[in-house]
């Protein structure tokens, strides 16, 4: 989704803005732009190409104050005229993430006042609104605050004025924004990775905050306009963690980072002799003792991890669990049970639908909330009572990989902790699970060794237009995740079914042009799955089976069997995810698509 960078400094800020935008490219965008203040004038460059094209277009621009933006179109097609920054009367310039819901009404009012709109965006109303207050003598801060009072919707904004060469105003509500504090220079960004080259000191703005930033000062005001102190943190992000290094794509890098990401996520637990609720927050023990069911809310890949967890939670902890797509739950009239623990799962912690679902649950009377999330200080973390941070490190590739497997690790820990509290786990079982968790990173590493074989397998998909993924039980959500990965980055239409559903409809699709990928762990459903695969083979469908060792399945005509190194019991879904990630990656390479930035998609979906 859209990205924001802004800077005020004693040096030329254009290289800082461009480098920041480059760092934000992973979020997905279709146009980019920047504006700087130079000798009481706004100088703007915009482009519908990549940031590198914007760099060429801004070669002649310099200034000590500026704001920049990558846009992911919502209102108005991707085009130069719709790219940010938007300006009013060559005096005010604005960048904006989010959606202004009442922009049509505001546009009508502003048009009646004589403002001429030059774009189809909702953002342009903010520029004209700020202008309307500023030209009447309000300070830039007050003009922005008065404008924000008229907006309905979500925003993170940066505002500059041509005649105010050392002041940057910014605000957030519903979209992330942070301040980067440097020495004699200060910055704003929607994501810390944009600022790593210039500072590690970060101040996270809270909902409704407005900030006024100068070269060596900054002031933050809350939604009521009261001056407030917001704590400064030192970011733990490193340049290396957001660099590509030796890898061709971030997605491949992140697939390969999974052993380390899992080790980091499990560190506290694996170094201890027993499981304690405290890993989910100080109030976890009290909350967990009051609950009788779980409701998981998430989107996309994070929703798939919730579907795996439902199986664990019901089988191991014996606690009823529902999993709902956040964008559906938020608008559904549902019956709330105050004894339910609401678990939101999100890599970014800023997904608009998941955040809205969390707030909807709270408004419905749910008090027990837990966030499983990869980004500390994200909105979902801050708005939940309990939290578990996956320590996957920054995920740049749009297709989620290491975030998914570390979410699964967190959800497995939740299952074990609840099972223990509910008397469903003997101490021997607890020790066995801890042993399996300690072994998990090396088990994942062993699966990564299948890389070359999977890249060869992928060649068979180069000319396919459709694919079917099958799994059963714990592994049906892994089939869903495999299909999601393939469609996202290779644009092959892929669907997943519980294998037992095949003969209830989808079998009609099976012929020699429909590859069928089966997730076949050595579990209690294996024999049933084998029968389902016979049904496919009998219709001429080509099978690609990811089987565990000891499944006694062999490759034969039309059947390619890939042997996984071992069977990991309850943790098997984590291992079986890895080959499907690699398959999607190598098929996308065959197809020549933009692996890290697939068309139409964005990394962090901060709008509805
Ligand atoms: C798929 C993918 C998306 C996200 C979804 C939720 O590869 O990345 O489906 O999982 O947009 O995002 P988060 O987890 O940030 O809430």
């Amino acid at each position: 989704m859209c990205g924001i960078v802004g800077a005020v400094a004693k040096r030329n800020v254009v290289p800082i803005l461009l480098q920041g935008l480059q760092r934000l490219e992973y979020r997905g965008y279709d146009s980019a732009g920047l504006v700087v203040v130079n000798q009481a004038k706004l100088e703007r460059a915009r482009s519908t190409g990549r940031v590198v094209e914007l760099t060429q277009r801004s070669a002649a621009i310099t200034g000590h104050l500026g704001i920049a933006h990558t846009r992911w179109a919502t209102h108005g097609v991707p085009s130069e005229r719709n790219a940010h920054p938007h300006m009013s009367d060559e005096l005010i310039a604005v960048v904006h993430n989010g959606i202004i819901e009442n922009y049509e009404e505001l546009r009508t009012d502003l048009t009646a006042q004589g403002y001429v709109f030059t774009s189809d965006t909702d953002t342009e109303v903010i520029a004209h609104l700020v202008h309307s207050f500023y030209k009447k003598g309000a300070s830039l801060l007050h003009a922005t605050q008065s404008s924000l009072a008229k907006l309905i919707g979500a925003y993170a904004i940066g505002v500059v004025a041509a005649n105010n060469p050392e002041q940057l105003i910014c605000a957030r509500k519903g979209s992330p924004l942070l301040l980067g504090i440097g020495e004699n220079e200060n910055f704003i960004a929607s994501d810390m990775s944009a600022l790593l080259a210039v500072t590690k000191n970060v101040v996270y703005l809270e909902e409704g905050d407005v900030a006024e930033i100068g070269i060596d000062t900054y002031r933050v005001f809350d939604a009521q306009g009261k001056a407030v102190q917001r704590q400064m943190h030192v970011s733990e992000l490193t340049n290396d963690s957001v660099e590509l290094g030796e890898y061709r794509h971030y997605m491949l890098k992140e697939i390969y980072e999974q052993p380390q990401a899992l080790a980091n996520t499990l560190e506290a637990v694996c170094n201890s002799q027993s499981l304690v609720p405290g890993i989910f927050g100080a109030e976890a023990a009290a909350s967990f003792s009051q609950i009788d069911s779980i409701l998981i809310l998430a989107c996309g890949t994070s929703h798939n991890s919730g579907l795996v967890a439902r199986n664990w939670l019901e089988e191991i902890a014996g606690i009823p669990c529902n999993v709902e797509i956040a964008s559906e739950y938020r608008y559904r009239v549902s019956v709330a049970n105050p004894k339910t623990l609401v678990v939101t799962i999100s890599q970014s912690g800023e997904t608009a639908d998941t955040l809205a679902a969390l707030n909807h649950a709270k408004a419905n009377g749910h008090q027990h909330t837990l966030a499983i999330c990869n980004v500390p200080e994200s909105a979902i973390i801050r708005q939940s009572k309990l939290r578990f941070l996956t320590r996957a490190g920054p995920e740049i590739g749009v297709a989620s990989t290491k975030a998914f497997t570390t979410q699964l690790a967190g959800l497995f820990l939740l299952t074990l902790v609840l099972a223990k509290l509910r008397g469903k786990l003997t101490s021997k079982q607890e020790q066995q699970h801890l042993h399996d968790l300690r072994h998990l990173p090396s088990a994942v590493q062993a699966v990564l060794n299948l890389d070359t074989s999977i890249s060869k397998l992928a060649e068979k998909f180069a000319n396919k237009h459709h694919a079917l993924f099958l799994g059963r039980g714990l592994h049906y959500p892994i089939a869903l995740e495999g299909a999601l990965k393939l469609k996202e980055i290779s644009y092959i239409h892929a669907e997943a079914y519980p294998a037992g559903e095949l003969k209830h409809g989808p079998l009609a699709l099976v012929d020699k042009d429909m590859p069928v990928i089966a997730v076949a762990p050595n579990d209690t459903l294996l024999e049933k799955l084998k029968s389902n695969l016979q049904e496919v083979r009998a219709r001429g469908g080509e099978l690609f089976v990811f089987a565990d060792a000891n499944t006694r399945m062999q490759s034969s005509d039309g059947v390619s069997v890939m042997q996984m190194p071992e069977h990991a019991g309850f943790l098997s879904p984590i291992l079986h995810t890895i080959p499907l990630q690699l398959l999607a990656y190598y098929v996308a390479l065959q197809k020549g698509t933009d692996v890290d930035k697939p068309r139409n998609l964005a990394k962090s979906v901060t709008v509805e």
Side-chain angles (χ1 to χ4, degrees):
M1 292 260 124
C2 309
I4 290 178
V5 194
V8 49
K10 287 188 173 161
R11 53 178 166 152
N12 177 19
V13 296
V14 172
I16 299 172
L17 298 177
L18 289 167
Q19 190 180 32
L21 288 188
Q22 244 157 13
R23 291 272 200 224
L24 295 180
E25 282 192 296
Y26 78 94
R27 293 168 69 100
Y29 69 108
D30 42 53
S31 54
L34 60 81
V35 79
V36 292
V37 174
N38 189 6
Q39 295 180 355
K41 284 205 173 83
L42 294 174
E43 293 188 9
R44 176 170 68 173
R46 296 184 291 177
S47 145
T48 48
R50 293 274 154 201
V51 173
V52 58
E53 194 179 311
L54 180 68
T55 306
Q56 287 154 9
R57 290 193 179 197
S58 37
I61 299 181
T62 60
H64 294 190
L65 168 67
I67 46 179
H69 191 261
T70 45
R71 173 174 187 254
W72 190 83
T74 54
H75 294 74
V77 295
S79 64
E80 195 170 322
R81 68 193 287 274
N82 286 334
H84 300 210
H86 288 289
M87 287 171 29
S88 182
D89 194 23
E90 302 286 324
L91 178 64
I92 299 293
V94 172
V95 289
H96 164 227
N97 290 354
I99 290 180
I100 304 305
E101 288 167 18
N102 59 336
Y103 85 101
E104 275 173 339
E105 187 188 317
L106 293 170
R107 193 174 165 124
T108 309
D109 285 356
L110 288 158
T111 307
Q113 287 175 40
Y115 284 102
V116 177
F117 281 78
T118 58
S119 78
D120 312 311
T121 65
D122 51 342
T123 304
E124 197 178 346
V125 298
I126 309 177
H128 294 315
L129 268 178
V130 174
H131 181 274
S132 68
F133 291 107
Y134 193 59
K135 72 165 190 212
K136 286 185 200 143
S139 66
L140 193 55
L141 173 70
H142 287 144
T144 306
Q145 285 169 319
S146 306
S147 305
L148 296 179
K150 292 188 172 281
L151 303 182
I152 298 173
Y155 53 77
I157 58 166
V159 184
V160 294
N163 58 358
N164 205 343
E166 292 192 358
Q167 199 180 52
L168 171 49
I169 305 295
C170 67
R172 74 156 281 181
K173 189 176 152 214
S175 280
L177 196 71
L178 50 86
L179 314 184
I181 310 302
E183 272 188 30
N184 289 326
E185 49 189 25
N186 289 318
F187 314 93
I188 62 168
S190 47
D191 179 329
M192 189 58 201
S193 59
L195 302 181
L196 281 181
V198 284
T199 186
K200 289 208 142 197
N201 298 329
V202 54
V203 173
Y204 295 99
L205 293 184
E206 295 194 2
E207 279 296 277
D209 280 356
V210 180
E212 179 187 65
I213 294 132
I215 287 184
D216 47 19
T217 55
Y218 69 91
R219 293 196 296 160
V220 182
F221 304 89
D222 67 11
Q224 284 68 46
K226 196 169 123 243
V228 283
Q229 295 291 332
R230 300 281 180 234
Q231 206 188 337
M232 184 154 79
H233 303 261
V234 178
S235 171
E236 287 179 10
L237 271 187
T238 59
N239 252 329
D240 278 359
S241 65
V242 294
E243 294 283 347
L244 202 45
E246 72 201 71
Y247 292 94
R248 188 162 163 196
H249 292 103
Y250 281 106
M251 183 178 178
L252 189 64
K253 177 178 184 244
E254 287 155 9
I255 290 173
Y256 268 84
E257 281 172 350
Q258 289 177 107
Q260 190 57 50
L262 285 162
N264 292 345
T265 300
L266 294 168
E267 190 182 8
V269 182
C270 290
N271 288 339
S272 103
Q273 288 312 307
S274 67
L275 290 154
V276 288
I279 53 174
F280 295 97
E283 295 171 66
S287 257
F288 290 173
S289 64
Q290 293 167 43
I291 60 162
D292 65 6
S293 55
I294 308 271
L295 170 62
I296 296 180
L297 303 171
C299 304
T301 285
S302 298
H303 178 258
N304 291 341
S305 75
L307 292 175
V308 175
R310 176 171 58 190
N311 290 276
W312 287 333
L313 286 158
E314 297 215 342
E315 186 172 346
I316 304 174
I319 187 162
C321 176
N322 272 325
V323 187
E324 290 209 35
I325 292 183
S327 55
E328 286 294 307
Y329 173 80
R330 65 181 286 190
Y331 291 118
R332 197 169 74 75
V333 178
S334 52
V335 181
N337 167 7
K339 287 188 167 180
T340 296
L341 173 68
V342 176
V343 180
T344 48
I345 310 172
S346 174
Q347 187 285 126
S348 59
E350 301 288 349
T351 300
D353 283 322
T354 310
L355 200 52
L358 170 62
N359 289 324
H360 181 67
K362 290 205 273 190
N364 271 356
H366 285 291
Q367 289 161 18
H368 304 290
T369 54
L370 163 67
I372 297 195
C373 181
N374 196 35
V375 181
E377 299 297 334
S378 60
I380 284 171
I381 284 280
R382 279 187 277 112
Q383 291 175 34
S384 301
K385 195 157 128 191
L386 308 177
R387 61 196 53 186
F388 180 85
L389 275 179
T390 51
R391 292 174 57 203
E395 193 178 66
I396 310 280
V398 163
S400 192
T401 52
K402 59 179 181 170
F404 178 68
T405 45
T406 52
Q407 284 166 356
L408 288 178
L411 288 161
F412 193 66
L413 292 178
L414 176 66
T415 304
L416 297 183
V417 166
L418 290 175
K420 193 170 165 183
L421 287 175
R422 297 165 69 83
K424 305 270 181 193
L425 199 68
T426 64
S427 138
K428 194 167 163 211
Q429 285 168 327
E430 179 180 2
Q431 292 313 314
Q432 184 59 48
H433 285 307
L434 282 171
H435 170 273
D436 294 347
L437 284 168
R438 286 186 197 107
H439 173 62
L440 187 61
S442 51
V444 169
Q445 188 61 54
V447 182
L448 287 169
N449 295 337
L450 297 176
D451 182 308
T452 315
S453 320
I454 295 172
S455 69
K456 289 211 180 79
L457 206 67
E459 289 166 18
K460 301 199 179 183
F461 287 75
N463 301 318
K464 302 292 185 204
H465 299 288
H466 308 276
L468 211 54
F469 284 70
L470 301 178
R472 296 195 74 129
L474 255 187
H475 295 80
Y476 164 53
I478 301 308
L480 283 169
E481 178 58 9
L484 181 59
K485 289 290 91 94
L486 189 69
K487 72 182 116 184
E488 276 185 290
I489 61 167
S490 75
Y491 315 148
I492 290 178
H493 166 226
E495 288 197 58
Y497 278 93
E501 270 294 290
L502 204 55
K503 53 187 167 303
H504 299 290
L507 200 53
L509 295 170
V510 173
D511 63 13
K512 65 178 178 22
D513 294 321
M514 171 73 90
V516 177
I517 298 107
V519 186
N522 196 3
D523 63 12
T524 50
L525 293 170
L526 180 65
E527 292 312 316
K528 305 251 176 250
L529 181 77
K530 281 182 178 169
S531 314
N532 303 141
L533 299 187
Q534 289 302 333
E535 293 160 9
V536 171
R537 207 47 218 125
R539 271 93 194 158
E542 189 167 5
L543 276 168
F544 298 87
V545 185
F546 291 93
D548 287 348
N550 305 328
T551 44
R552 276 187 264 122
M553 296 175 93
Q554 302 293 335
S555 292
S556 58
D557 188 29
V559 185
S560 305
V561 177
M562 185 77 48
Q563 294 281 356
M564 302 279 285
E566 62 181 292
H567 176 58
F570 279 116
L571 294 174
S572 168
I574 298 182
L575 295 199
H576 271 275
T577 301
I578 314 293
L580 302 187
Q581 295 171 340
L582 285 168
L583 182 68
Y585 174 75
Y586 284 113
V587 173
L589 276 196
Q590 290 283 328
K591 295 239 159 202
T593 56
D594 189 345
V595 174
D596 285 332
K597 298 187 232 35
R599 69 183 179 203
N600 307 339
L601 297 182
K603 182 66 189 161
S604 182
V605 188
T606 49
V607 293
E608 193 178 341

